Amino acid sequence: MNSKQVVLITGSSTGFGRLFTETLARKGHTVFATMRDPGGRNAKNASELRALAEKESLPIHVLEMDVTDDASVERGVDAAIAKAGRIDVAINNAGYYLTGLEEAVTTEQARRLMDTNFLGPVRVNRAVLPQMRRQRSGVLLHISSAAGRVVLPAVGFYCASKFALEALAETYSYELAGQGIESVIVEPGQYETAIFGATVTAADLSRTDTYGAAKGFPAKVSGALSSTAGNAQEVADAVLRIVETPAGEKQLRYFVSPANFGVEEINALTKQIQAKALEAFGLTADTKFLKGKAAAV
Ligand SMILES: NC(=O)c1ccc[n+]([C@@H]2O[C@H](COP(=O)([O-])OP(=O)(O)OC[C@H]3O[C@@H](n4cnc5c(N)ncnc54)[C@H](OP(=O)(O)O)[C@@H]3O)[C@@H](O)[C@H]2O)c1
């Protein structure tokens, strides 16, 4: 396997996605930095990335991709494969934060959140997997969250979107291992990005009149998260290390956080329980990772 990877990243306009792009490209990996509307709302972000690529001779290609749109995802993936001939790593990063008491979140707000944070990776994975299966190698990398393992009040729908992503990503890891394809989950704690400025708040406040002290949960949680946020480069450095870890040697989950609140313990325990569950269903051998050409046909 070529040690320089071809990486497609969603949500590369700001935050983690932008840092992943710069960090991976500076190490010689070819990056397809995808974003919504690079000719319009993200024109400044797209041109900054292109200027950086030009200045430092980095292998960065900006492509349009809205992860809520099947056709947009397919076009972006097809363009990357047409240019590079392969995709080694797909980083499902696009996502946003929604906060508020759960009863005040409308079904339309919940639907939109799931469409981005959960169905976005579904669309991207479905688009890249035929190529990865042809290659008999590849990595689906999912940016989940500590909120994909631990629940806080006023964050229920965001947690639900990340819990759903965790379940899917773990299932992919079992189903694809026999074809030499890995599925990896990164669980960041709170980090300084554009996420808190782009937060969506629950729209139907008429539901919250009787909640008393609980009405303060959204502000309390968001305040605590943003005031303790770490340097997002830590997550980009972790993603670089994961991308450069040889096939078959990656962990399923990586918790990266300025503070530990039990996620590592949950991950260690569920690893044991999952292993027992697979064994109980007679699935242990068939869910083991098989490298590239040795993989079962
Ligand atoms: N920062 C944290 O503390 C933290 C912690 C745990 C997990 N995360 C996760 O990390 C990921 C990246 O977030 P971030 O913190 O880097 O925040 P961010 O700076 O706000 O970046 C979010 C990115 O997602 C993009 N995006 C949103 N909807 C999209 C769509 N429909 N199609 C394509 N792109 C879309 C945004 O693009 P636009 O510019 O077009 O809006 C932006 O590029 C998210 O999945 C988030 O849940 C963040």
Side-chain angles (χ1 to χ4, degrees):
M1 185 187 69
N2 187 339
S3 65
K4 297 301 172 207
Q5 307 283 291
V6 176
V7 185
L8 181 136
I9 306 174
T10 66
S12 307
S13 58
T14 58
F16 290 154
R18 177 80 166 259
L19 286 176
F20 299 162
T21 299
E22 296 175 10
T23 304
L24 291 166
R26 284 189 172 125
K27 291 291 177 185
H29 303 291
T30 298
V31 179
F32 290 94
T34 76
M35 63 184 71
R36 289 191 282 199
D37 202 9
R41 58 177 282 174
N42 275 320
K44 185 169 174 286
N45 294 320
S47 68
E48 282 170 6
L49 267 183
R50 288 192 184 108
L52 178 82
E54 175 84 30
K55 186 169 163 234
E56 297 185 23
S57 302
L58 300 178
I60 296 174
H61 308 278
V62 176
L63 289 177
E64 175 155 23
M65 187 182 290
D66 179 339
V67 300
T68 64
D69 177 344
D70 287 25
S72 168
V73 169
E74 282 157 21
R75 268 197 308 275
V77 167
D78 288 350
I81 294 169
K83 176 100 185 151
R86 56 190 295 117
I87 293 181
D88 297 309
V89 185
I91 303 185
N92 285 295
N93 166 73
Y96 67 92
Y97 184 66
L98 186 155
T99 181
L101 296 176
E102 310 323 318
E103 192 186 338
V105 176
T106 65
T107 50
E108 179 56 18
Q109 287 186 305
R111 192 189 63 71
R112 280 195 195 167
L113 185 75
M114 292 302 283
D115 203 19
T116 302
N117 290 11
F118 176 62
L119 290 174
V122 172
R123 292 185 182 93
V124 170
N125 291 348
R126 281 186 57 76
V128 299
L129 276 170
Q131 175 62 29
M132 289 185 177
R133 286 189 288 101
R134 273 193 295 277
Q135 294 168 193
R136 296 206 158 271
S137 68
V139 182
L140 305 176
L141 199 153
H142 306 86
I143 304 301
S144 174
S145 172
R149 300 302 255 171
V150 170
V151 172
L152 289 173
V155 194
F157 282 97
Y158 180 76
C159 290
S161 72
K162 295 296 188 180
F163 271 65
L165 180 63
E166 293 258 349
L168 181 80
E170 183 160 354
T171 313
Y172 275 130
S173 79
Y174 301 139
E175 294 180 357
L176 293 165
Q179 298 180 80
I181 298 168
E182 294 167 292
S183 175
V184 172
I185 302 166
V186 177
E187 298 163 331
Q190 64 276 36
Y191 282 98
E192 231 181 294
T193 63
I195 197 165
F196 298 112
T199 295
V200 172
T201 55
D204 189 2
L205 295 182
S206 70
R207 297 297 189 105
T208 64
D209 287 349
T210 61
Y211 274 74
K215 280 210 270 188
F217 289 165
K220 206 166 178 179
V221 173
S222 296
L225 286 176
S226 52
S227 65
T228 56
N231 179 350
Q233 185 62 41
E234 276 177 32
V235 182
D237 292 341
V239 163
L240 173 67
R241 284 195 295 276
I242 295 166
V243 166
E244 294 189 342
T245 299
E249 293 175 24
K250 296 179 189 68
Q251 296 169 203
L252 171 59
R253 288 189 166 83
Y254 295 86
F255 174 58
V256 187
S257 177
N260 182 17
F261 29 89
V263 175
E264 266 162 1
E265 289 89 328
I266 294 173
N267 289 345
L269 182 62
T270 54
K271 190 176 174 190
Q272 291 170 29
I273 293 169
Q274 284 293 143
K276 281 187 198 149
L278 293 176
E279 198 181 336
F281 283 83
L283 295 167
T284 304
D286 291 338
T287 51
K288 282 257 179 298
F289 181 83
L290 290 176
K291 262 193 191 174
K293 294 196 170 32
V297 179

